[in-house]
Amino acid sequence: MTTIIDASVALKWVCDEEGSDRAAALLDGRPLAAPSFWLVEAANALWRREQRGELALAEAEERIDELRRAPVEAVDAQELTTAALKLASALKHPVYDCLYLEAGIRTGGRVVTADCRFYAVARNHAYFGSIVALL
């Protein structure tokens, strides 16, 4: 079964923070996938850290390069958008996160996130609660 990871999980591969050990455990050879925009979302998070002075620009660049080499298969986000929009409307939650949900549905995989807000919304749904896990 494919594990869908979101950017909050991937960032823990390159930033030492709470949950980094659990995120690293996902790199055990299991199939990993994410909507194709996951690197853009991760780059934006690294940029925010650079802007706050937590990382130098060179460090952020190194970390995005490391993520680019991660064993994550890209799922075409464009193909997920209509269904993700419907999910977002039903869940009253941003489309960005619902793209991960739709990727999980389409691949028959489990979505792993470190985003507590996203997890709380999904786990309270009769169907999505069974496919989303908090890191």
Side-chain angles (χ1 to χ4, degrees), residues 29-91:
R30 75 182 80 195
L32 299 173
S36 54
F37 76 99
W38 76 275
L39 274 172
V40 175
E41 191 175 16
N44 193 66
L46 290 169
W47 167 78
R48 282 194 315 264
R49 290 174 187 210
E50 183 268 334
Q51 291 295 296
R52 290 190 304 249
E54 297 170 13
L55 291 173
L57 179 57
E59 291 173 306
E61 291 171 344
E62 288 171 10
R63 291 173 191 202
I64 200 65
D65 287 342
E66 188 176 338
L67 287 175
R68 191 177 297 112
R69 293 186 298 273
V72 178
E73 181 182 340
V75 178
D76 187 354
Q78 290 185 12
E79 293 181 10
L80 307 173
T81 55
T82 300
L85 177 61
K86 290 177 186 176
L87 291 174
S89 179
L91 295 173

Side-chain angles (χ1 to χ4, degrees), residues 6-43:
D6 70 4
S8 69
V9 171
L11 284 166
K12 292 181 182 308
W13 293 337
V14 295
C15 296
D16 187 25
E17 56 190 37
E18 184 179 342
S20 289
D21 56 336
R22 292 187 304 278
L26 295 173
L27 296 168
D28 62 1
R30 75 182 80 195
L32 299 173
S36 54
F37 76 99
W38 76 275
L39 274 172
V40 175
E41 191 175 16

